[in-house]
Amino acid sequence: EQVMKKIAILGSTGSIGTQTLDVISNNSNDFKVELISANSNYKLLIKQAIKYNPKTIVFGNKKKSKLIEDSLAHLNINIFYGKDALNNFIDYCDIDMVVTALVGKSGLIPTINAIKNNIDIALANKETLVIAGSYIRDLLKHKRANIYPIDSEHSAIFQCLQGEKKESIEKLILTASGGPFRGKDIDFLKNVTKDEALKHPNWIMGNKVTIDSSTLMNKGLEVIEARFLFDIEIKNIEVIIHPESIIHSMVQFRDGSIIAQLGEPDMRLPIQYALGYPKRIENIYPRFDFNKSNSLNFEEPSFKTFRNLKLAYQAAENEGNSPCILNASNEIVVSAFLNGKIKFLDMTNLIEDSLNKISYIASPNLEQLIETDLETRKYILEKINKK
Ligand code: MN3
């Protein structure tokens, strides 16, 4: 008899959330949706609740509670509201796996609570590992929970490592598309607009990660994510620009062999691999065709133009609360850039400033990381408002 995997999706109305539901729709014998959550898009959350009939939904606030409850009155769904409900979602459902498709630090506490309850995680929320990577790595050692990456680069590396021993790894090679401003110089970047930054050449993603791709901060966060996910030293993690986004990442082993994972840039693939692991599920998504695209290109990233990548490497080498500072300031500056409050290059300058000004803690505990996060946000917001 087929055993259904019971899934919770935190952030079900975003880009990863909707694609996860798409994967589940295509594999309704394998997966059942038990809980979905959204922060602001109540209209889509209601539609999803009617279509997937989960036992529980969580919405960000009570403002639309009457509308939500009236719309779902004919269904037997438990409805919870607010940040506490999201953080403690694990108390409201009985699941096998949680997909953390939240944006930014909102994923931190729900992820930690899932690990404490020995629930497997399909991780799309890279910021969680950047904020508290060492804490989560240590927590995982004492729990039965596993993290399966959804980020396409980390899914690629995870696939390349199947059947391999950790001590055989020489280095991880993360590929990056280079974003919409690949090949441009600092002068060009001075005046780029939000609309230009939101035009990613290959991937369809949420606004935050698309801006992060245009500054290469996304790759910086992914280097840190890889460092903790695979427990590999920063000096053994490399970034190479690969504009076609067909090779999703690679592992070089100690004998010099390189294993790569390839495919069309389609997030449903890494989502499906994380959900179904270790099973490879058949699908009819578009296939990569070597006859149609017969060249794959590579170039070195420019650390001089895209200084965010350099700052991320520096924060990762500093360890302690530095990656947490990097992430918090980045979340604030990206949102300020999207709201038209600062210019493109201001983002990097403000992040650098916060890394210099916020007090360094070499071995922070979770409370200190949460404090660092709040302190950094406050510091950067004040700087932006003074401008
Ligand atoms: Mn990625």
Side-chain angles (χ1 to χ4, degrees):
E1 196 201 336
Q2 178 97 23
V3 181
M4 301 259 274
K5 241 188 219 178
K6 290 178 285 181
I7 312 278
I9 306 169
L10 306 185
S12 64
T13 58
S15 175
I16 296 291
T18 52
Q19 293 182 82
T20 301
L21 286 169
D22 190 19
V23 167
I24 291 177
S25 293
N26 294 335
N27 299 283
S28 51
N29 293 326
D30 290 308
F31 308 113
K32 163 89 180 81
V33 181
E34 290 285 304
L35 177 146
I36 52 177
S37 88
N39 187 44
S40 53
N41 192 346
Y42 62 92
K43 285 183 186 159
L44 184 54
L45 188 70
I46 290 168
K47 274 190 199 158
Q48 292 176 339
I50 291 168
K51 181 169 177 191
Y52 293 93
N53 197 18
K55 287 207 178 80
T56 307
I57 68 172
V58 179
F59 188 64
N61 59 68
K62 277 214 139 168
K63 281 178 208 153
K64 297 287 172 186
S65 60
K66 176 147 172 38
L67 179 69
I68 294 173
E69 281 157 31
D70 288 351
S71 308
L72 302 177
H74 61 297
L75 298 167
N76 188 18
I77 298 178
N78 300 312
I79 307 169
F80 297 94
Y81 302 94
K83 203 172 133 193
D84 283 345
L86 178 69
N87 284 343
N88 299 304
F89 80 98
I90 200 73
D91 299 342
Y92 309 125
C93 60
D94 171 26
I95 54 161
D96 302 304
M97 177 177 260
V98 55
V99 178
T100 60
L102 300 156
V103 179
K105 76 154 180 175
S106 59
L108 178 67
I109 302 299
T111 303
I112 289 172
N113 285 339
I115 297 171
K116 284 182 174 167
N117 283 278
N118 297 307
I119 300 299
D120 283 343
I121 290 156
L123 184 90
N125 174 239
K126 66 193 81 179
E127 290 91 344
T128 287
L129 279 183
V130 177
I131 297 169
S134 58
Y135 171 82
I136 287 173
R137 184 189 50 194
D138 293 344
L139 187 64
L140 283 166
K141 285 178 188 154
H142 306 286
K143 295 290 173 184
R144 290 191 312 276
N146 297 297
I147 295 185
Y148 301 107
I150 282 183
D151 213 345
S152 60
E153 296 78 3
H154 306 75
S155 175
I157 290 167
F158 183 59
Q159 293 181 55
C160 294
L161 288 176
Q162 294 303 306
E164 300 287 349
K165 289 197 170 75
K166 198 189 146 204
E167 58 262 33
S168 308
I169 302 170
E170 195 166 272
K171 65 179 177 187
L172 308 181
I173 306 167
L174 271 75
T175 53
S177 71
F181 306 134
R182 180 176 62 88
K184 305 295 186 193
D185 59 15
I186 286 266
D187 269 345
F188 181 91
L189 295 181
K190 270 180 194 153
N191 294 310
V192 296
T193 64
K194 165 182 132 179
D195 289 340
E196 290 169 316
L198 283 173
K199 275 191 198 115
H200 195 278
N202 304 339
W203 294 96
I204 301 159
M205 306 178 292
N207 279 357
K208 201 265 178 181
V209 60
T210 305
I211 296 299
D212 283 345
S213 296
S214 75
T215 64
L216 291 202
M217 180 54 93
N218 183 52
K219 211 49 55 180
L221 299 177
E222 289 181 352
V223 166
I224 301 172
E225 181 186 9
R227 189 254 176 280
F228 292 114
L229 207 48
F230 304 109
D231 204 11
I232 299 292
E233 283 182 61
I234 280 295
K235 65 174 169 56
N236 298 327
I237 305 175
E238 202 177 279
V239 170
I240 186 89
I241 304 288
H242 165 47
E244 292 84 6
S245 296
I246 295 301
I247 296 180
H248 299 308
S249 277
M250 306 174 252
V251 179
Q252 181 171 313
F253 294 92
R254 60 183 173 193
D255 60 356
S257 270
I258 298 173
I259 298 187
Q261 186 261 341
L262 289 75
E264 285 290 322
D266 182 339
M267 282 311 295
R268 292 175 301 180
L269 259 67
I271 291 169
Q272 184 184 287
Y273 191 73
L275 259 57
Y277 183 83
K279 182 173 156 188
R280 276 200 190 272
I281 301 169
E282 195 179 345
N283 66 36
I284 53 161
Y285 303 151
R287 264 55 176 157
F288 176 67
D289 184 347
F290 279 95
N291 294 314
K292 285 187 183 143
S293 343
N294 54 13
S295 76
L296 299 177
N297 293 278
F298 307 93
E299 59 193 62
E300 251 183 87
S302 169
F303 287 85
K304 228 176 96 190
T305 307
F306 297 96
R307 286 176 54 235
N308 274 0
L309 186 57
K310 196 179 166 98
L311 292 175
Y313 265 100
Q314 280 168 356
E317 276 157 21
N318 291 346
E319 294 195 335
N321 62 343
S322 290
C324 177
I325 298 169
L326 178 92
N327 178 71
S329 52
N330 183 58
E331 283 191 35
I332 298 294
V333 297
V334 168
S335 129
F337 176 70
L338 283 169
N339 292 323
K341 285 187 180 161
I342 58 173
K343 297 182 97 177
F344 191 81
L345 291 177
D346 292 335
M347 292 195 277
T348 306
N349 295 332
L350 285 160
I351 295 165
E352 184 172 39
D353 183 51
S354 72
L355 284 166
N356 292 330
K357 296 284 166 51
I358 304 292
S359 325
Y360 176 72
I361 307 171
S363 309
N365 58 31
L366 185 60
E367 287 67 35
Q368 287 170 315
L369 289 170
I370 291 169
E371 215 164 283
T372 297
D373 175 86
L374 291 174
E375 188 190 341
T376 307
R377 283 165 197 270
K378 193 166 162 263
Y379 176 77
I380 293 286
L381 274 174
E382 277 168 16
K383 282 241 147 187
I384 290 172
N385 290 333
K386 265 187 219 151
K387 266 182 185 282

